[in-house]
Amino acid sequence: MKRLIIVSNRLPITVARGKKDSPLEFRSSIGGLSTGLSSFYRSYNALWIGWPGIAVDRLKEKDKDNIVERLSRDGCYPVFLTQREVDNYYHGFCNNVLWPLFHYFPSYVVNKNVFWETYKSVNQKFADTVAEFTDKNNTVWVHDYQLMLLPDMLRKRLEDARIGFFLHIPFPSYEIFRMLPYRKEILKGILGANLIGFHTYDYVRYFLESVRRILGIDSNLGYIYDKKHIIKADIFPIGINFEKFSVESTEIENETENVRNRIGDIKVILSVDRLDYTKGIIQKLQAFDRFLDRNPKYIGKVAMVIIVVPSRTNIGHYRALKNEIDELIGNINGKRSTFKWSPIHYLYRSLPFERLLALYRISDIALITPLRDGMNLVAKEFLASKRDGRGVLILSEMAGAAQELGEAVIVNPNDTNEIVDALEIALNMQEKEQVKRNRTMIGRLRRYDIIKWAVDFMGALDEVEKLQERLFMRLLNLNIKRKIIESYRKSNNRVLILDYDGTLVNFSSSPEEARPDRELLEILEKLSSDKRNSVVIISGRSKDTLSEWFDNLNIGIIAEHGAWIKCVGRDWQTIEPLTSEWKSVIKPILELYEDRTPGSFIEEKEFSLVWHYRRADSKLAALRAMELKNTLLEYVTNLGLEVMDGNKILEVKDAGVDKGRAALKWLANIDTNFVLAIGDDYTDENVFEALPESAYTIKVGLGFSKAKYNVISVEDVRSLLKELISGRVTE
Ligand code: GDG
């Protein structure tokens, strides 16, 4: 049966037990993910797998059975963890390593080998449990930083499974992420998924940059073409259960009235956060204190209600933060309170939902200033609760939500004065202006609610699967191979046009590794010793390198993307009269960019100049490449040149030279009835396009192409060539 399986560290239901042997309690979990997704999974008949929040050491066998049974009624299934696992995996690796690092607090990271080892083994435990419930018809949706190894662990067991992964916290910039000792394993783990979702475009960019710089895997418009599957990284900004917060009910109205009466007729600034150093609680308290200094007229007229939900108090930084908050609030209240008024109402606990909603409703301002936050649902919930559209949201630019809630008063949470200014702006904002700003944001929140978000994610997962199927349909299968071998066998005049890097050998930036190896030389030797074959290597490399590698074989060579051609036993010839006089104009321009972009370098071929920027800083290089291309375009048209924008290169060459024209020239003198062309990159597309319809054209890699078929790897190309030689398809 088709079923969705959601996997997250915590289940939407938490199991707790007070004293030893007291009965188990089952409560709804608090936190962004469970509040958000619980409405969706019920409507989707999904199974939710996760840790129920109690260590297995505290459970007897019959408790476990009881938990399994009770959770199953809510579509949940538990992964039981021991106290040791909870300590080392959850408190250890998740909350002492990943959480601080991904929120830009690297100095808070406490790293121990046992944390990592347990993180791996617990992810494996999740994989084992998920595998029990999964076959290839199911979709598995893995959530968050606690389970980043799980997608690949599942992929290894279930090759065809449909796996999505969503990260709820920020993905940090490369400079931060690279500090993680297990960065490769973590990236590979995530890449087991078909679809990888983030809240904002920046997180997607940082992730893809880390994948490129750490694993050397490139992406194209968010797609990564792996050997066996396609991976897409994209943005899905999480929404909220809009209806739940905009609801009209007597119960809520009464509660709102009740809270309003207790607080009195003053302006309310609301702050709601889990206890966490990422939430900027200290900074906002300091800003409120300064605001009162600067605006004595608000004394007695404004109060801050601050809710801090207890969290992770077993970690030193959290305990220290709690003490600091207590002390600061104590100081502010101590110095400013009167018998009738306190500037801060402090609640260190989790509130029932109705009370939270009532507080959202009566508050004039929500002050939400995290130093880093993946999204921040409280900001969205506050707006959704505003049925009349009044209220002002002050929001940190460091929260993912700021990308969508641009009409809020946006602040830098580290800038106390800016927060003070924002409070002044908010308190003085006309109601008309408040409603105007909020209406736009509320409209968006209503449209893109949590269900839309999840359905969108599922839809995108379907799309990736369909794309993968379409690309797989183009893969060279046994029947087509048989057909190729058959027509090869029947032909007495065959032409084989083979690209080199990425086609016959894996792409490598080191010249030594790029040399043809023994197996390849043997294949080429065998192919070219057959008198019926005309084999030609067609490459962007210089003619000197290609001569050195292939001169003693009985094959033709086309160098520099088609500028030079060398028939067997003859000298090199230019494809048509070419000049290189233009180099004296273009080279100084490239040199300027070489100097300004550390790591980049110029390669000079006889009829072309190439600026390579693979080894340079990616952002700087991308900027420089754009500038350089614009500069070059001003020159090249008059000189009859062309700028080719390649794989981390810009190449300037004669406009009339390309691999397609060279391939046609090669064919011109041969009366052939069998043409096979294989290549992997955009320069080979010219060949595929130029060849007659009857030619067999093959692209290496899964991307779309003008070639008729695709194969996945260099190894597949070599197998095909060996099969041509032997005349037999290996099954
Ligand atoms: C992670 C990311 C991302 C809070 N206090 C009470 C209460 N809450 C509920 C809120 C809200 C949720 O908890 C908090 O969500 P956040 O988004 O603010 O934060 P995280 O839990 O850290 O969540 C975050 C999120 O995942 C989703 O992707 O936005 O950036 O860190 O829903 O309403 N609920 C009740 N009483 C409280 O006192 N009942």
Side-chain angles (χ1 to χ4, degrees):
M1 189 184 72
K2 263 196 168 183
R3 196 170 193 196
L4 169 65
I5 297 179
I6 293 176
V7 196
S8 65
N9 173 55
R10 292 296 290 272
L11 287 169
I13 296 168
T14 296
V15 181
R17 157 172 275 162
K19 289 201 192 93
K20 196 165 177 269
D21 293 333
S22 60
L24 295 171
E25 291 164 32
F26 294 81
R27 307 181 195 133
S28 294
S29 310
I30 290 195
L33 174 60
S34 31
T35 346
L37 262 185
S38 52
S39 48
F40 165 77
Y41 96 101
R42 287 200 177 93
S43 66
Y44 219 86
N45 180 34
L47 174 69
W48 194 323
I49 296 178
W51 177 52
I54 188 166
V56 74
D57 320 42
R58 301 187 61 204
L59 301 171
K60 302 210 174 82
E61 272 317 302
K62 72 171 193 322
D63 293 328
K64 282 166 63 180
D65 295 343
N66 177 7
I67 290 175
V68 171
E69 194 279 320
R70 171 66 185 74
L71 290 179
S72 78
R73 283 192 249 150
D74 270 305
C76 296
Y77 188 85
V79 176
F80 288 113
L81 302 179
T82 63
Q83 190 58 53
R84 207 180 151 272
E85 284 173 328
V86 175
D87 289 343
N88 291 321
Y89 144 81
Y90 181 61
H91 300 309
F93 197 71
C94 296
N95 292 341
N96 268 304
V97 179
L98 293 174
W99 179 270
L101 193 70
F102 278 43
H103 286 88
Y104 295 74
F105 280 80
S107 61
Y108 281 26
V109 170
V110 180
N111 194 6
K112 290 187 195 162
N113 198 39
V114 64
F115 291 174
W116 169 242
E117 289 305 325
T118 319
Y119 184 77
K120 281 194 290 186
S121 62
V122 169
N123 270 252
Q124 193 58 59
K125 208 170 194 180
F126 271 81
D128 295 343
T129 311
V130 175
E132 277 176 41
F133 291 93
T134 315
D135 60 32
K136 67 178 187 333
N137 292 318
N138 289 345
T139 299
V140 186
W141 190 3
V142 179
H143 287 268
D144 228 0
Y145 64 103
Q146 298 92 348
L147 298 172
M148 290 194 285
L149 300 177
L150 182 56
D152 190 53
M153 287 175 170
L154 288 173
R155 174 73 56 214
K156 290 207 166 87
R157 301 170 73 132
L158 304 153
E159 202 177 290
D160 298 326
R162 207 140 57 107
I163 304 171
F165 175 79
F166 191 85
L167 187 71
H168 290 261
I169 63 171
F171 193 93
S173 77
Y174 166 71
E175 281 305 329
I176 290 282
F177 183 73
R178 72 194 295 205
M179 295 167 88
L180 188 66
Y182 323 99
R183 57 203 183 174
K184 279 194 178 155
E185 291 87 336
I186 294 286
L187 290 177
K188 283 185 191 157
I190 298 175
L191 288 178
N194 302 88
L195 179 65
I196 303 164
F198 300 90
H199 288 307
T200 73
Y201 178 61
D202 280 338
Y203 307 159
V204 175
R205 266 194 320 124
Y206 298 153
F207 171 72
L208 291 175
E209 185 183 358
S210 294
V211 168
R212 188 177 62 71
R213 296 179 72 165
I214 293 168
L215 297 181
I217 299 175
D218 271 324
S219 58
N220 185 1
L221 299 171
Y223 285 98
I224 293 176
Y225 298 96
D226 184 31
K227 288 207 164 147
K228 295 254 172 82
H229 68 293
I230 292 176
I231 304 153
K232 185 172 193 206
D234 210 346
I235 318 171
F236 302 88
I238 196 169
I240 54 165
N241 182 344
F242 187 86
E243 265 173 42
K244 191 172 162 197
F245 291 91
S246 58
V247 69
E248 201 172 357
S249 78
T250 330
E251 193 193 354
I252 299 290
E253 260 170 45
N254 291 344
E255 181 65 18
T256 309
E257 189 68 26
N258 174 20
V259 172
R260 168 50 80 199
N261 288 340
R262 286 203 210 174
I263 290 188
D265 188 19
I266 50 170
K267 296 268 182 195
V268 175
I269 301 167
L270 178 67
S271 158
V272 181
D273 298 292
R274 242 183 345 92
L275 176 71
D276 205 294
Y277 48 80
T278 62
K279 300 285 185 185
I281 300 173
I282 295 295
Q283 288 78 352
K284 81 173 115 186
L285 285 169
Q286 285 166 342
F288 183 53
D289 194 23
R290 193 174 297 177
F291 163 81
L292 291 174
D293 270 342
R294 245 166 60 174
N295 295 279
K297 65 176 180 188
Y298 283 114
I299 301 254
K301 302 205 169 74
V302 172
M304 179 186 257
V305 175
I306 180 162
I307 297 157
V308 178
V309 180
S311 171
R312 305 179 193 171
T313 36
N314 56 339
I315 296 177
H317 286 299
Y318 288 75
R319 279 197 305 273
L321 175 65
K322 163 76 171 50
N323 292 338
E324 211 181 331
I325 294 172
D326 290 355
E327 199 176 316
L328 190 52
I329 293 179
N331 282 340
I332 298 173
N333 275 348
K335 87 180 160 193
R336 296 190 189 277
S337 292
T338 62
F339 287 118
K340 286 193 183 153
W341 173 79
S342 283
I344 301 175
H345 299 270
Y346 173 34
L347 288 82
Y348 177 65
R349 60 181 176 268
S350 164
L351 305 182
F353 171 74
E354 297 69 28
R355 171 116 340 151
L356 179 70
L357 183 51
L359 275 168
Y360 283 155
R361 293 225 166 138
I362 63 130
S363 297
D364 300 276
I365 296 169
L367 184 59
I368 299 177
T369 52
L371 305 176
R372 286 285 158 184
D373 214 335
M375 172 56 79
N376 195 297
L377 296 179
V378 172
K380 294 187 169 184
E381 293 165 0
F382 169 73
L383 290 171
S385 77
K386 294 297 184 189
R387 300 185 48 82
D388 60 6
R390 281 184 299 141
V392 182
L393 171 64
I394 300 177
L395 180 60
S396 158
E397 65 182 63
M398 310 294 174
Q403 305 285 320
E404 289 168 79
L405 304 177
E407 292 82 2
V409 180
I410 304 288
V411 293
N412 174 354
N414 301 295
D415 185 341
T416 314
N417 287 332
E418 203 179 350
I419 303 179
V420 174
D421 292 345
L423 284 170
E424 289 166 3
I425 291 170
L427 284 164
N428 289 310
M429 194 183 284
Q430 299 292 318
E431 275 186 19
K432 219 169 120 196
E433 173 70 10
Q434 298 177 18
V435 173
K436 190 173 131 214
R437 287 177 179 230
N438 291 344
R439 195 179 292 136
T440 320
M441 295 191 280
I442 292 171
R444 270 201 301 270
L445 294 174
R446 186 184 291 118
R447 282 192 301 278
Y448 201 83
D449 66 359
I450 181 77
I451 303 282
K452 179 87 178 61
W453 169 76
V455 170
D456 231 27
F457 188 89
M458 289 296 127
L461 198 48
D462 279 346
E463 287 304 313
V464 179
E465 191 184 34
K466 280 190 203 133
L467 176 68
Q468 181 159 307
E469 275 167 9
R470 286 214 305 279
L471 289 177
F472 271 80
M473 267 169 30
R474 294 166 45 97
L475 277 186
L476 200 62
N477 60 30
L478 280 179
N479 279 340
I480 300 162
K481 271 199 199 181
R482 285 202 190 95
K483 201 170 134 202
I484 296 176
I485 292 173
E486 185 58 19
S487 46
Y488 175 84
R489 211 178 46 77
K490 282 193 188 144
S491 168
N492 284 325
N493 243 342
R494 309 135 174 175
V495 176
L496 288 90
I497 303 170
L498 306 171
D499 166 56
Y500 186 70
D501 294 271
T503 300
L504 294 176
V505 293
N506 283 312
F507 183 84
S508 160
S509 47
S510 114
E512 269 321 296
E513 279 174 27
R515 269 178 182 282
D517 52 274
R518 186 181 290 268
E519 183 193 53
L520 176 62
L521 290 172
E522 245 175 65
I523 292 173
L524 293 174
E525 168 96 63
K526 283 193 181 141
L527 282 174
S528 58
S529 61
D530 187 328
K531 293 221 163 41
R532 291 166 293 182
N533 290 349
S534 162
V535 181
V536 58
I537 301 257
I538 187 163
S539 163
R541 285 187 180 264
S542 73
K543 70 183 203 319
D544 296 341
T545 309
L546 295 168
S547 268
E548 185 198 330
W549 289 348
F550 299 116
D551 254 1
N552 50 359
L553 286 176
N554 205 16
I555 61 175
I557 314 174
I558 293 171
E560 294 189 22
H561 298 297
W564 290 99
I565 192 160
K566 184 176 185 305
C567 300
V568 181
R570 304 247 193 92
D571 281 338
W572 284 102
Q573 281 180 336
T574 52
I575 216 131
E576 48 194 75
L578 294 171
T579 76
S580 54
E581 281 153 20
W582 54 268
K583 281 187 182 170
S584 58
V585 182
I586 300 294
K587 199 169 172 194
I589 304 175
L590 296 192
E591 279 167 349
L592 190 67
Y593 278 81
E594 183 183 33
D595 294 342
R596 290 171 63 205
T597 321
S600 76
F601 64 94
I602 299 170
E603 180 190 6
E604 181 160 358
K605 301 183 201 168
E606 218 143 327
F607 292 110
S608 70
L609 286 171
V610 194
W611 182 64
H612 291 258
Y613 57 88
R614 176 169 286 274
R615 289 190 217 135
D617 172 79
S618 64
K619 281 206 193 100
L620 177 67
L623 186 75
R624 293 276 189 264
M626 224 151 54
E627 283 172 22
L628 176 58
K629 195 171 171 187
N630 285 337
T631 314
L632 289 171
L633 287 175
E634 287 173 22
Y635 289 83
V636 293
T637 331
N638 286 344
L639 295 169
L641 302 171
E642 179 186 37
V643 183
M644 245 174 39
D645 200 347
N647 190 357
K648 306 289 175 284
I649 59 151
L650 279 183
E651 179 153 5
V652 186
K653 65 175 183 55
D654 194 294
V657 169
D658 71 51
K659 282 183 174 182
R661 291 177 80 162
L664 283 184
K665 178 132 187 163
W666 188 264
L667 283 178
N669 303 324
I670 308 173
D671 182 16
T672 172
N673 54 4
F674 177 93
V675 179
L676 170 67
I678 315 181
D680 73 308
D681 76 11
Y682 64 98
T683 60
D684 302 304
E685 294 296 313
N686 291 331
V687 178
F688 303 144
E689 199 175 14
L691 290 181
E693 183 50 33
S694 57
Y696 295 102
T697 48
I698 300 175
K699 176 182 165 74
V700 187
L702 270 184
F704 281 105
S705 160
K706 298 200 171 96
K708 287 185 187 142
Y709 309 108
N710 291 58
V711 291
I712 285 174
S713 64
V714 166
E715 289 67 40
D716 294 337
V717 175
R718 291 188 179 195
S719 305
L720 176 68
L721 296 177
K722 284 194 231 166
E723 286 162 345
L724 287 180
I725 295 166
S726 71
R728 275 192 316 274
V729 179
T730 36
E731 305 216 353

